[in-house]
Short mmCIF file of all heavy atoms in Angstrom, two decimals:
data_model
loop_
_atom_site.label_atom_id
_atom_site.label_comp_id
_atom_site.label_asym_id
_atom_site.label_seq_id
_atom_site.Cartn_x
_atom_site.Cartn_y
_atom_site.Cartn_z
N LEU A 152 -35.37 80.57 31.70
CA LEU A 152 -35.21 81.31 30.36
C LEU A 152 -36.34 82.40 30.39
O LEU A 152 -36.03 83.41 29.82
CB LEU A 152 -35.56 80.28 29.28
CG LEU A 152 -34.21 79.49 28.82
CD1 LEU A 152 -34.72 78.34 27.99
CD2 LEU A 152 -33.33 80.45 28.12
N ARG A 153 -37.45 82.21 31.05
CA ARG A 153 -38.52 83.30 31.04
C ARG A 153 -37.95 84.70 31.63
O ARG A 153 -38.48 85.63 31.35
CB ARG A 153 -39.72 82.89 31.85
CG ARG A 153 -39.61 82.60 33.30
CD ARG A 153 -40.89 82.50 34.04
NE ARG A 153 -41.61 81.28 33.45
CZ ARG A 153 -41.61 80.18 34.01
NH1 ARG A 153 -40.74 80.07 35.18
NH2 ARG A 153 -42.24 79.15 33.66
N HIS A 154 -37.03 84.46 32.55
CA HIS A 154 -36.57 85.80 33.19
C HIS A 154 -35.66 86.64 32.42
O HIS A 154 -35.24 87.75 32.83
CB HIS A 154 -35.87 85.37 34.55
CG HIS A 154 -36.85 84.69 35.49
ND1 HIS A 154 -37.88 85.41 36.08
CD2 HIS A 154 -36.88 83.46 36.05
CE1 HIS A 154 -38.58 84.50 36.76
NE2 HIS A 154 -37.97 83.43 36.76
N ILE A 155 -35.24 86.15 31.19
CA ILE A 155 -34.39 87.09 30.34
C ILE A 155 -35.31 87.66 29.23
O ILE A 155 -34.84 88.30 28.31
CB ILE A 155 -33.18 86.32 29.85
CG1 ILE A 155 -33.49 85.12 29.04
CG2 ILE A 155 -32.10 86.12 30.92
CD1 ILE A 155 -32.26 84.39 28.50
N GLU A 156 -36.68 87.28 29.15
CA GLU A 156 -37.41 87.70 28.08
C GLU A 156 -37.66 89.16 28.02
O GLU A 156 -37.92 89.80 26.96
CB GLU A 156 -38.85 87.00 28.14
CG GLU A 156 -38.68 85.53 27.82
CD GLU A 156 -40.04 84.75 27.56
OE1 GLU A 156 -40.75 85.43 26.75
OE2 GLU A 156 -40.39 83.87 28.26
N ARG A 157 -37.62 89.89 29.25
CA ARG A 157 -37.72 91.30 29.23
C ARG A 157 -36.47 92.02 29.03
O ARG A 157 -36.41 93.23 28.81
CB ARG A 157 -38.33 91.68 30.52
CG ARG A 157 -39.81 91.19 30.84
CD ARG A 157 -40.28 91.98 32.10
NE ARG A 157 -41.37 91.38 32.74
CZ ARG A 157 -42.67 91.79 32.49
NH1 ARG A 157 -42.85 92.85 31.76
NH2 ARG A 157 -43.70 91.27 33.06
N CYS A 158 -35.27 91.35 29.13
CA CYS A 158 -33.96 91.99 29.19
C CYS A 158 -33.78 92.71 27.77
O CYS A 158 -33.98 92.19 26.70
CB CYS A 158 -32.82 91.00 29.39
SG CYS A 158 -32.99 90.44 31.18
N ARG A 159 -33.28 93.90 27.78
CA ARG A 159 -32.99 94.60 26.57
C ARG A 159 -31.60 94.22 25.95
O ARG A 159 -31.44 94.41 24.79
CB ARG A 159 -33.05 96.12 26.92
CG ARG A 159 -34.48 96.56 27.36
CD ARG A 159 -34.54 98.11 27.37
NE ARG A 159 -33.61 98.67 28.41
CZ ARG A 159 -33.23 99.84 28.38
NH1 ARG A 159 -33.32 100.73 27.32
NH2 ARG A 159 -32.52 100.42 29.37
N LEU A 160 -30.66 93.89 26.84
CA LEU A 160 -29.37 93.52 26.41
C LEU A 160 -28.88 92.31 27.20
O LEU A 160 -29.17 92.05 28.41
CB LEU A 160 -28.45 94.82 26.64
CG LEU A 160 -26.98 94.60 26.34
CD1 LEU A 160 -26.77 94.47 24.94
CD2 LEU A 160 -26.19 95.82 26.89
N LEU A 161 -28.21 91.24 26.57
CA LEU A 161 -27.70 90.28 27.04
C LEU A 161 -26.14 90.33 27.18
O LEU A 161 -25.49 90.58 26.24
CB LEU A 161 -28.09 88.85 26.30
CG LEU A 161 -29.59 88.72 26.11
CD1 LEU A 161 -29.72 87.41 25.35
CD2 LEU A 161 -30.31 88.56 27.37
N LEU A 162 -25.68 90.08 28.41
CA LEU A 162 -24.26 89.89 28.56
C LEU A 162 -23.92 88.38 28.58
O LEU A 162 -24.22 87.65 29.62
CB LEU A 162 -23.69 90.54 29.88
CG LEU A 162 -23.97 92.04 29.92
CD1 LEU A 162 -23.28 92.59 31.18
CD2 LEU A 162 -23.36 92.85 28.71
N HIS A 163 -23.30 88.04 27.55
CA HIS A 163 -22.96 86.59 27.33
C HIS A 163 -21.72 86.27 27.92
O HIS A 163 -20.53 86.61 27.36
CB HIS A 163 -22.94 86.18 25.94
CG HIS A 163 -23.16 84.73 25.57
ND1 HIS A 163 -23.94 84.18 24.60
CD2 HIS A 163 -22.69 83.63 26.35
CE1 HIS A 163 -23.93 82.83 24.62
NE2 HIS A 163 -23.07 82.53 25.65
N VAL A 164 -21.59 85.71 29.12
CA VAL A 164 -20.36 85.43 29.90
C VAL A 164 -19.71 84.14 29.45
O VAL A 164 -20.42 83.08 29.54
CB VAL A 164 -20.62 85.59 31.45
CG1 VAL A 164 -19.27 85.50 32.11
CG2 VAL A 164 -21.37 86.77 31.76
N VAL A 165 -18.37 84.16 29.19
CA VAL A 165 -17.69 82.97 28.95
C VAL A 165 -16.40 83.00 29.71
O VAL A 165 -15.86 83.88 30.16
CB VAL A 165 -17.28 82.83 27.42
CG1 VAL A 165 -18.47 82.72 26.51
CG2 VAL A 165 -16.36 83.97 26.94
N ASP A 166 -15.93 81.83 30.03
CA ASP A 166 -14.65 81.59 30.77
C ASP A 166 -13.56 81.53 29.80
O ASP A 166 -13.15 80.56 29.16
CB ASP A 166 -14.61 80.31 31.60
CG ASP A 166 -13.40 80.05 32.36
OD1 ASP A 166 -12.38 80.81 32.30
OD2 ASP A 166 -13.25 79.06 33.01
N ILE A 167 -12.83 82.73 29.60
CA ILE A 167 -11.87 82.85 28.56
C ILE A 167 -10.48 82.09 29.01
O ILE A 167 -9.68 81.74 28.12
CB ILE A 167 -11.45 84.30 28.23
CG1 ILE A 167 -10.85 84.40 26.85
CG2 ILE A 167 -10.86 84.96 29.40
CD1 ILE A 167 -11.50 83.87 25.67
N SER A 168 -10.37 81.79 30.28
CA SER A 168 -9.19 81.12 30.71
C SER A 168 -9.21 79.59 30.36
O SER A 168 -8.24 78.98 30.39
CB SER A 168 -9.09 81.28 32.29
OG SER A 168 -10.08 80.46 32.97
N CYS A 169 -10.48 79.22 30.06
CA CYS A 169 -10.67 77.72 29.75
C CYS A 169 -10.16 76.79 30.81
O CYS A 169 -9.70 75.75 30.64
CB CYS A 169 -9.92 77.43 28.42
SG CYS A 169 -10.61 78.40 26.97
N PHE A 170 -10.22 77.22 32.08
CA PHE A 170 -9.60 76.54 33.13
C PHE A 170 -10.26 75.14 33.31
O PHE A 170 -9.58 74.23 33.65
CB PHE A 170 -9.91 77.35 34.47
CG PHE A 170 -9.47 76.66 35.76
CD1 PHE A 170 -8.00 76.73 36.02
CD2 PHE A 170 -10.26 76.06 36.57
CE1 PHE A 170 -7.61 76.01 37.10
CE2 PHE A 170 -9.81 75.50 37.71
CZ PHE A 170 -8.46 75.39 37.95
N GLU A 171 -11.51 74.95 32.91
CA GLU A 171 -12.11 73.71 33.03
C GLU A 171 -12.19 72.92 31.72
O GLU A 171 -12.97 71.93 31.58
CB GLU A 171 -13.63 73.84 33.53
CG GLU A 171 -13.76 74.42 35.02
CD GLU A 171 -15.14 74.36 35.52
OE1 GLU A 171 -16.08 74.11 34.69
OE2 GLU A 171 -15.34 74.78 36.73
N GLY A 172 -11.35 73.45 30.84
CA GLY A 172 -11.31 72.74 29.61
C GLY A 172 -12.46 72.98 28.56
O GLY A 172 -12.62 72.35 27.61
N ARG A 173 -13.11 74.02 28.84
CA ARG A 173 -14.22 74.37 27.98
C ARG A 173 -13.84 75.11 26.78
O ARG A 173 -12.82 75.87 26.83
CB ARG A 173 -15.42 75.27 28.76
CG ARG A 173 -15.85 74.61 29.95
CD ARG A 173 -17.27 75.31 30.37
NE ARG A 173 -18.18 75.03 29.34
CZ ARG A 173 -18.94 73.95 29.39
NH1 ARG A 173 -18.79 73.12 30.31
NH2 ARG A 173 -19.86 73.68 28.48
N ASP A 174 -14.62 75.10 25.72
CA ASP A 174 -14.26 75.84 24.49
C ASP A 174 -15.25 77.05 24.35
O ASP A 174 -16.37 76.82 24.21
CB ASP A 174 -14.40 74.88 23.31
CG ASP A 174 -14.14 75.63 21.86
OD1 ASP A 174 -13.91 76.93 22.02
OD2 ASP A 174 -14.08 74.97 20.90
N PRO A 175 -14.75 78.26 24.58
CA PRO A 175 -15.68 79.43 24.54
C PRO A 175 -16.43 79.52 23.29
O PRO A 175 -17.59 79.97 23.30
CB PRO A 175 -14.79 80.53 24.85
CG PRO A 175 -13.38 80.11 24.49
CD PRO A 175 -13.39 78.63 24.78
N VAL A 176 -15.94 79.14 22.22
CA VAL A 176 -16.66 79.29 20.93
C VAL A 176 -17.87 78.31 20.99
O VAL A 176 -18.92 78.65 20.66
CB VAL A 176 -15.71 78.96 19.72
CG1 VAL A 176 -16.51 78.75 18.40
CG2 VAL A 176 -14.71 79.96 19.45
N GLU A 177 -17.66 77.02 21.27
CA GLU A 177 -18.73 76.05 21.43
C GLU A 177 -19.74 76.53 22.45
O GLU A 177 -20.93 76.35 22.28
CB GLU A 177 -18.22 74.79 21.61
CG GLU A 177 -17.44 74.05 20.59
CD GLU A 177 -18.34 73.91 19.33
OE1 GLU A 177 -19.43 73.56 19.40
OE2 GLU A 177 -17.83 74.49 18.34
N ASP A 178 -19.30 77.12 23.59
CA ASP A 178 -20.21 77.55 24.60
C ASP A 178 -21.23 78.52 24.17
O ASP A 178 -22.37 78.56 24.31
CB ASP A 178 -19.46 78.01 25.80
CG ASP A 178 -18.72 77.02 26.79
OD1 ASP A 178 -19.00 75.77 26.37
OD2 ASP A 178 -18.09 77.29 27.76
N VAL A 179 -20.65 79.53 23.37
CA VAL A 179 -21.42 80.62 22.86
C VAL A 179 -22.43 80.04 21.86
O VAL A 179 -23.69 80.39 21.89
CB VAL A 179 -20.71 81.72 22.13
CG1 VAL A 179 -21.54 82.70 21.41
CG2 VAL A 179 -19.72 82.49 23.27
N LYS A 180 -22.08 79.18 20.96
CA LYS A 180 -22.98 78.60 20.04
C LYS A 180 -24.09 77.83 20.60
O LYS A 180 -25.23 77.94 20.41
CB LYS A 180 -22.06 77.60 19.10
CG LYS A 180 -21.19 78.32 18.02
CD LYS A 180 -20.50 77.32 17.20
CE LYS A 180 -19.59 77.84 16.04
NZ LYS A 180 -18.91 76.92 15.32
N ASN A 181 -23.70 77.02 21.63
CA ASN A 181 -24.61 76.15 22.33
C ASN A 181 -25.66 76.96 23.12
O ASN A 181 -26.90 76.68 23.00
CB ASN A 181 -23.94 75.21 23.26
CG ASN A 181 -23.18 74.11 22.55
OD1 ASN A 181 -23.32 73.93 21.35
ND2 ASN A 181 -22.09 73.43 23.17
N ILE A 182 -25.26 77.97 23.75
CA ILE A 182 -26.23 78.62 24.60
C ILE A 182 -27.09 79.51 23.63
O ILE A 182 -28.45 79.61 23.88
CB ILE A 182 -25.45 79.89 25.37
CG1 ILE A 182 -24.65 79.15 26.61
CG2 ILE A 182 -26.42 80.76 26.03
CD1 ILE A 182 -25.57 78.31 27.64
N ASN A 183 -26.63 80.04 22.53
CA ASN A 183 -27.35 80.82 21.59
C ASN A 183 -28.45 79.79 20.89
O ASN A 183 -29.57 80.20 20.48
CB ASN A 183 -26.59 81.46 20.50
CG ASN A 183 -25.98 82.75 21.07
OD1 ASN A 183 -26.70 83.39 22.02
ND2 ASN A 183 -24.93 83.19 20.53
N ALA A 184 -28.00 78.61 20.66
CA ALA A 184 -28.91 77.56 20.11
C ALA A 184 -30.06 77.36 21.04
O ALA A 184 -31.25 77.06 20.65
CB ALA A 184 -28.10 76.37 19.84
N GLU A 185 -29.82 77.24 22.37
CA GLU A 185 -30.91 77.12 23.35
C GLU A 185 -31.89 78.18 23.31
O GLU A 185 -33.07 78.11 23.40
CB GLU A 185 -30.31 76.85 24.77
CG GLU A 185 -29.50 75.60 24.95
CD GLU A 185 -30.37 74.38 24.65
OE1 GLU A 185 -31.59 74.37 24.97
OE2 GLU A 185 -29.91 73.33 24.11
N LEU A 186 -31.26 79.46 23.25
CA LEU A 186 -32.13 80.57 23.13
C LEU A 186 -33.02 80.58 21.90
O LEU A 186 -34.20 80.97 21.97
CB LEU A 186 -31.23 81.90 23.13
CG LEU A 186 -30.52 82.22 24.37
CD1 LEU A 186 -29.65 83.52 24.20
CD2 LEU A 186 -31.31 82.36 25.59
N GLU A 187 -32.45 80.11 20.78
CA GLU A 187 -33.18 80.14 19.50
C GLU A 187 -34.29 79.07 19.59
O GLU A 187 -35.41 79.31 19.22
CB GLU A 187 -32.27 79.73 18.41
CG GLU A 187 -32.96 79.58 17.05
CD GLU A 187 -33.33 80.85 16.43
OE1 GLU A 187 -32.63 81.83 16.61
OE2 GLU A 187 -34.41 80.91 15.80
N LYS A 188 -34.08 77.96 20.18
CA LYS A 188 -35.07 77.02 20.53
C LYS A 188 -36.26 77.53 21.35
O LYS A 188 -37.38 77.28 21.09
CB LYS A 188 -34.64 75.75 20.97
CG LYS A 188 -33.65 74.88 20.17
CD LYS A 188 -33.07 73.81 20.94
CE LYS A 188 -32.02 73.04 20.01
NZ LYS A 188 -31.27 71.94 20.91
N TYR A 189 -35.88 78.31 22.41
CA TYR A 189 -36.92 78.65 23.42
C TYR A 189 -37.70 79.78 22.79
O TYR A 189 -38.86 79.94 22.83
CB TYR A 189 -36.27 79.13 24.64
CG TYR A 189 -37.16 79.65 25.63
CD1 TYR A 189 -38.07 78.77 26.43
CD2 TYR A 189 -37.22 81.07 25.94
CE1 TYR A 189 -38.86 79.27 27.38
CE2 TYR A 189 -38.08 81.58 26.87
CZ TYR A 189 -38.92 80.68 27.66
OH TYR A 189 -39.82 81.11 28.51
N SER A 190 -37.06 80.76 22.13
CA SER A 190 -37.56 82.05 21.57
C SER A 190 -36.79 82.54 20.47
O SER A 190 -35.72 83.23 20.81
CB SER A 190 -37.92 83.06 22.66
OG SER A 190 -38.25 84.31 22.16
N PRO A 191 -37.06 82.56 19.19
CA PRO A 191 -36.37 83.23 18.21
C PRO A 191 -36.07 84.64 18.36
O PRO A 191 -35.01 85.25 18.09
CB PRO A 191 -37.10 82.82 16.79
CG PRO A 191 -37.87 81.63 17.15
CD PRO A 191 -38.21 81.72 18.64
N GLU A 192 -37.18 85.23 18.91
CA GLU A 192 -37.09 86.70 19.27
C GLU A 192 -36.07 87.12 20.27
O GLU A 192 -35.20 88.00 20.18
CB GLU A 192 -38.43 87.18 19.69
CG GLU A 192 -38.40 88.74 20.04
CD GLU A 192 -39.74 89.33 20.66
OE1 GLU A 192 -40.70 88.49 20.63
OE2 GLU A 192 -39.76 90.36 21.05
N LEU A 193 -36.01 86.11 21.30
CA LEU A 193 -34.98 86.26 22.35
C LEU A 193 -33.58 86.15 21.85
O LEU A 193 -32.65 86.86 22.23
CB LEU A 193 -35.22 85.25 23.50
CG LEU A 193 -34.44 85.27 24.79
CD1 LEU A 193 -34.57 86.73 25.33
CD2 LEU A 193 -34.81 84.25 25.62
N ALA A 194 -33.45 85.14 20.85
CA ALA A 194 -32.05 84.91 20.26
C ALA A 194 -31.59 86.07 19.40
O ALA A 194 -30.35 86.25 19.28
CB ALA A 194 -32.13 83.71 19.39
#
């Protein structure tokens, strides 16, 4: 997580094909929740 602290822009990649049965909406929510916990500024 420390390695994205300097990044100016985040490309949030999701698997839109849902090939592995993932829900892209939930994936985006969960990853952003982790960013918020680690650093509100990063989120």
Side-chain angles (χ1 to χ4, degrees):
L152 278 167
R153 67 168 62 92
H154 294 297
I155 55 177
E156 289 193 56
R157 291 189 197 263
C158 295
R159 299 190 284 152
L160 177 65
L161 302 179
L162 297 186
H163 199 143
V164 186
V165 297
D166 178 0
I167 196 62
S168 73
C169 302
F170 179 75
E171 296 185 353
R173 306 198 64 89
D174 180 351
V176 172
E177 289 303 313
D178 282 1
V179 172
K180 286 181 178 179
N181 292 339
I182 292 297
N183 281 333
E185 293 301 324
L186 294 181
E187 179 71 35
K188 292 176 187 174
Y189 179 76
S190 167
E192 180 183 350
L193 186 59

